[in-house]
Amino acid sequence: MILTAGVDVGSSAVKAAIMSSPSGSGRAREGAKLLGYHSERIRRRDQRLVIELAWERALRAAGVEASDLAYIASTGEGELVDFRVGHFYGMTAHARGALFIDPQTTAALDVGSLHARAILIDPRAKVEAYQMTSQCASGSGQFLENIARYLGVTLDEVGPLSLDSERPERVSSICAVLAETDVINMVSRGISLPNILKGIHESMAGRFAKLLRKLKVKDGVVLFTGGLAADVGLVECTREVLQGKKLDGLEVRTSPLSVYAGAIGAALWGAYRHEVLQAREAARAQYQAAL
């Protein structure tokens, strides 16, 4: 078994995952297992300190030492991970992590702090195409966090409150600034929190539907990944919006591990790269011996 790790450094949280996978299992990493993981919110702390904390707690959860690992991969803002061996682009890592979490995944919907992106994935975790929202759009985790702070609720409360909505209020889906102005007006009009939050979720879900439509994804499993995969209200609203947009051939899923998709994917690609590098080194040594 090959032990590897992935560290996903986002703008609001750091996720670390420790994986084991059989030697020689190639790109697919069949038989891979998640040994331990940890997520740590940054919360205005020094990112390097948060990375170290998430890393140490993931190792402790897995019951391994850093010296036991064959490869440590980073993704996201990986230049801050001083102990990494290599780095993988975020979409590549999320695609691989999504397939590990749910092998039926055909597209991942990665909703992070700064943007959302829909990623079309083939059965070997290759990214075939993607579509991404702009940073200013009302479809990101930072936007939702700003709204929650203004409304005086935590991110953990947003999803359940949204599910209680009976008459959601329409919110601008064009721009985060316009949407925030809409919310201020709603509060002054006495609109309830559930109806405001469900309206925001509908706006975000509408943007996600556009991304998936541009990818021409018509059926299969769409797996939420990233920080907002834990927002039950957003996930349920996305299901409803896709059905209304005649994209009901898509099955929206999430998982308690979805937030770790980037870290898991980086660790799995790290195992593959480790074996490729070992094979090259062995071939080089064999060639030198033959001279």
Side-chain angles (χ1 to χ4, degrees):
M1 300 295 287
I2 302 173
L3 298 182
T4 58
V7 182
D8 181 6
V9 183
S11 57
S12 62
V14 177
K15 289 77 66 177
I18 313 297
M19 305 289 299
S20 70
S21 52
S23 299
S25 52
R27 288 167 57 99
R29 313 313 307 171
E30 292 181 2
K33 295 181 180 180
L34 178 60
L35 300 182
Y37 51 91
H38 185 76
S39 176
E40 192 73 27
R41 295 275 293 175
I42 295 173
R43 301 184 190 281
R44 299 183 182 179
R45 294 179 291 177
D46 180 88
Q47 277 186 301
R48 294 184 187 276
L49 294 178
V50 178
I51 289 169
E52 288 291 339
L53 183 59
W55 174 242
E56 291 171 3
R57 291 184 175 178
L59 287 173
R60 193 179 310 147
V64 300
E65 302 290 336
S67 57
D68 298 328
L69 302 173
Y71 199 98
I72 302 170
S74 64
T75 190
E77 299 176 39
E79 67 277 0
L80 298 175
V81 185
D82 297 331
F83 48 88
R84 74 187 189 279
V85 178
H87 180 81
F88 293 93
Y89 186 45
M91 280 193 294
T92 304
H94 274 263
R96 186 63 193 87
L99 275 179
F100 172 82
I101 294 168
D102 190 332
Q104 293 182 307
T105 299
T106 55
L109 193 55
D110 171 25
V111 188
S113 181
L114 297 181
H115 53 247
R117 55 191 173 191
I119 310 167
L120 186 62
I121 309 168
D122 78 358
R124 288 169 58 81
K126 178 183 177 182
V127 175
E128 296 187 315
Y130 73 94
Q131 291 288 331
M132 183 182 299
T133 61
S134 62
Q135 186 169 332
C136 68
S138 56
S140 67
Q142 186 61 61
F143 161 72
L144 190 58
E145 190 169 354
N146 290 343
I147 295 296
R149 189 181 301 113
Y150 175 76
L151 295 176
V153 297
T154 67
L155 278 178
D156 290 338
E157 293 173 313
V158 167
L161 281 169
S162 174
L163 292 177
D164 287 339
S165 171
E166 296 178 350
R167 295 183 61 186
E169 283 287 310
R170 185 179 179 86
V171 179
S172 170
S173 62
I174 300 173
C175 157
V177 175
L178 291 177
E180 289 178 15
T181 301
D182 286 346
V183 170
I184 293 171
N185 291 334
M186 290 177 196
V187 172
S188 67
R189 288 160 44 209
I191 305 300
S192 70
L193 290 183
N195 288 334
I196 293 175
L197 292 171
K198 180 64 176 288
I200 291 169
H201 279 161
E202 286 184 346
S203 170
M204 297 174 71
R207 297 190 66 85
F208 302 160
K210 289 179 181 178
L211 297 181
L212 292 167
R213 191 181 292 278
K214 287 180 181 179
L215 286 182
K216 298 181 179 179
V217 185
K218 296 180 180 179
D219 51 39
V221 172
V222 177
L223 182 73
F224 262 84
T225 67
L228 290 190
D231 186 328
V232 292
L234 180 59
V235 174
E236 182 57 34
C237 193
T238 302
R239 292 191 182 109
E240 294 172 2
V241 169
L242 290 184
Q243 190 170 23
K245 298 285 186 180
K246 297 182 179 180
L247 292 170
D248 46 356
L250 297 175
E251 182 181 351
V252 177
R253 296 180 185 175
T254 189
S255 162
L257 295 178
S258 286
V259 67
Y260 298 97
I264 290 171
L268 291 171
W269 280 126
Y272 175 67
R273 180 177 287 176
H274 170 72
E275 288 196 320
V276 169
L277 293 175
Q278 276 198 324
R280 288 179 184 173
E281 195 63 36
R284 188 179 296 113
Q286 188 176 12
Y287 174 75
Q288 291 291 338
L291 292 178

